[in-house]
Amino acid sequence: MSFEIEYFHERVLHEIESWPVDVLADYARLVELLTEYGPTLRLPYSRALGDGLFELRPRGRSSVGRAFYCFLVGKRVVVLHAFLKKSQHTPDRELKLARKRLKEVSDA
């Protein structure tokens, strides 16, 4: 049985859909791997950030994207937040927003 992808909010999906075509294509490929392998997907495609938060690491020639996600009961994956990286370091505000949303879906 494969994992099912959901989005925290429609805005998260719209953000991802606005990415450059090359990054979006890599994201689509990584989502396919994620639905197949779930939590066993590792670097360079996915990385665990602790406390149940993970990041999907799509890249292209033009930019690098990040999509934070978590796993819920019933083989569900929820994409909590996504953005395009503008530097090597992931901004704290992006991580804080993802952790806040993780808490919301975990408490629900």
Side-chain angles (χ1 to χ4, degrees), residues 23-69:
V23 181
L24 187 57
D26 196 41
Y27 173 79
R29 182 181 68 89
L30 296 181
V31 163
E32 281 185 29
L33 291 173
L34 182 59
T35 59
E36 185 177 341
Y37 296 103
T40 61
L41 187 65
R42 297 282 182 240
L43 284 169
Y45 313 116
S46 174
R47 184 172 71 138
L49 300 175
D51 298 324
L53 186 65
F54 297 82
E55 70 174 357
L56 209 54
R57 305 163 58 89
R59 59 186 57 231
R61 285 178 178 246
S62 61
S63 192
V64 173
R66 288 293 182 263
F68 297 114
Y69 65 94

Side-chain angles (χ1 to χ4, degrees), residues 7 11-20 24 27 67 79 81-82:
Y7 292 87
R11 287 186 306 245
V12 177
L13 180 57
H14 289 310
E15 169 62 29
I16 292 168
E17 290 172 340
S18 74
W19 288 354
L24 187 57
Y27 173 79
V79 179
H81 180 54

